[in-house]
Amino acid sequence: MKSVAVVLFPEFLLLDVAGPMEVFSIANRFLEPSNCYQISTIGSDELRVRASNGVVLHADVDLNQASGPYDVLLVPGGPSAYKEVYPRLECWLRTVACEVGCLASICTGAFILGQAGLLDGRRVTTHWNYTERLAKRYPQAIVETDQIFVRDGKLLTSGGVTTGIDLALSIVAEDHGKRLALAVAKELLVVMRRQGGQMQFSPLVASVVKEDSPVSRVQNYVLEHVSEEFSVERLASLAGMSTRHFARVFNREVKMTPMEFVQGARIDCARGLLETSGLPLKTVAYRSGFGSVRHMRHLFGERLGLTPSQYRRQFG
């Protein structure tokens, strides 16, 4: 019998807890009693812990009563995971980290592991909206921006919210084989392996501040005229700068090359059209500035891991 423990702290995200727990619970229906997962919850300070949506859970034990070692220890995310500091929880995690079989975080739970010093030198991920923040706060971590979940030794970190289910399914597959994990996935009406990564959910180009600078003026022009043809030379001309100087300034301020920005803007435009219209792919490609469906399909596959048709079926 394997032990699975989930840590609860104030303002945790309930779905981060409920999703993985359901995976292990449903897996138990297919397993012999001696092979079942023993699931428990640990309160960080008190037994009664309120989630971010207001639901109160009663933990089985608190940190003082928790007795490991645990085969799987899960740390969920939540608004407080990246806003607050939990010294007792972080100290406890540092103590038990070397004893657990698998230490895993869901969504922004990675910030709690980072605060405990458990991400240094490790490949990790978190919700796409917080990967940059995680990388800045814990510069010794190697943050992957497009993975559903990342395994680095016995450390597992997952992306946003429902990716905790993907993570738990991968643990079940390792413990009991892919067939059982697939049976659990079918019970939950989810897929065993998603197409593409987190990038398909996140905008490739952030909104541009309406400030009066050459770079922002060029960015706004591209976003408003995305179907036009662009080159670095033309963009530099729009900024009133030399090509070499413009490319250097743009890369420094935007953290990507001018043509990477154009490419991201076109993909985001195409995604919007695929989500909200039934326009033919040829029209979508033209309005987004790709020129051809073939070019659009290539860049979608390269950046999102999906074809435009697959994206439309998933989000349209």
Side-chain angles (χ1 to χ4, degrees):
M1 181 174 286
K2 286 202 168 186
S3 57
V4 177
V6 186
V7 175
L8 306 180
F9 53 87
E11 296 294 301
F12 70 89
L13 198 67
L14 185 60
L15 191 54
D16 282 4
V17 173
M21 288 180 76
E22 284 299 332
V23 169
F24 295 116
S25 176
I26 292 173
N28 284 347
R29 301 179 193 175
F30 299 92
L31 295 169
E32 294 295 327
S34 59
N35 287 329
C36 282
Y37 292 99
Q38 185 178 23
I39 308 165
S40 63
T41 52
I42 304 170
S44 60
D45 290 307
E46 301 177 356
L47 293 181
R48 293 181 77 258
V49 190
R50 188 178 298 276
S52 59
N53 64 0
V55 172
V56 176
L57 293 190
H58 192 283
D60 296 303
V61 296
D62 62 22
L63 293 180
N64 294 326
Q65 302 166 320
S67 58
Y70 299 101
D71 293 298
V72 180
L73 180 62
L74 301 176
V75 180
S80 61
Y82 53 90
K83 292 179 181 178
E84 305 293 337
V85 176
Y86 298 104
R88 287 189 64 234
L89 174 58
E90 292 151 11
C91 180
W92 182 81
L93 286 170
R94 282 193 294 272
T95 301
V96 302
C98 59
E99 302 172 355
V100 300
C102 173
L103 177 62
S105 67
I106 297 117
C107 195
T108 53
F111 285 83
I112 291 180
L113 295 185
Q115 195 66 28
L118 300 173
L119 301 186
D120 292 355
R122 312 299 291 275
R123 291 177 54 250
V124 299
T125 194
T126 188
H127 188 289
W128 60 264
N129 198 36
Y130 300 94
T131 51
E132 185 176 352
R133 190 182 309 188
L134 186 72
K136 287 181 178 178
R137 187 173 298 183
Y138 307 110
Q140 299 304 311
I142 305 162
V143 180
E144 304 278 352
T145 60
D146 189 35
Q147 300 301 310
I148 296 296
F149 63 87
V150 172
R151 174 182 284 280
D152 187 332
K154 66 177 183 179
L155 177 66
L156 266 172
T157 53
S158 68
V161 194
T162 57
T163 59
I165 294 175
D166 299 82
L167 181 147
L169 285 170
S170 75
I171 294 173
V172 171
E174 288 183 7
D175 290 344
H176 303 286
K178 185 177 179 180
R179 181 172 294 183
L180 175 59
L182 182 58
V184 175
K186 287 180 177 179
E187 288 286 327
L188 291 169
L189 294 180
V190 298
V191 295
M192 265 294 290
R193 185 173 293 277
R194 306 192 202 194
Q195 292 177 311
Q198 289 199 84
M199 201 70 77
Q200 61 190 285
F201 300 98
S202 64
L204 296 182
V205 172
S207 58
V208 180
V209 178
K210 297 286 185 178
E211 60 182 26
D212 189 25
S213 75
V215 168
S216 65
R217 287 200 300 272
V218 169
Q219 287 179 289
N220 285 312
Y221 185 90
V222 170
L223 294 175
E224 293 167 7
H225 304 83
V226 72
S227 63
E228 296 181 9
E229 291 188 14
F230 292 107
S231 64
V232 179
E233 290 75 16
R234 186 185 174 204
L235 296 174
S237 176
L238 290 171
M241 301 165 70
S242 71
T243 301
R244 185 175 180 181
H245 182 56
F246 170 75
R248 185 167 57 248
V249 171
F250 192 100
N251 196 41
R252 184 180 68 237
E253 293 187 9
V254 186
K255 309 304 181 192
M256 64 177 72
T257 68
M259 295 314 294
E260 284 173 340
F261 179 85
V262 171
Q263 188 181 94
R266 286 178 170 154
I267 292 175
D268 280 350
C269 176
R271 292 201 301 189
L273 293 173
L274 292 169
E275 291 168 7
T276 60
S277 77
L279 292 171
L281 293 183
K282 187 174 182 180
T283 304
V284 172
Y286 173 77
R287 291 191 181 181
S288 305
F290 288 110
S292 70
V293 174
R294 182 179 180 181
H295 187 213
M296 179 172 69
R297 186 182 297 115
H298 170 73
L299 290 179
F300 260 65
E302 189 176 74
R303 298 294 295 276
L304 304 182
L306 296 169
T307 66
S309 296
Q310 289 171 331
Y311 186 90
R312 170 171 274 167
R313 283 196 295 271
Q314 229 170 265
F315 297 100

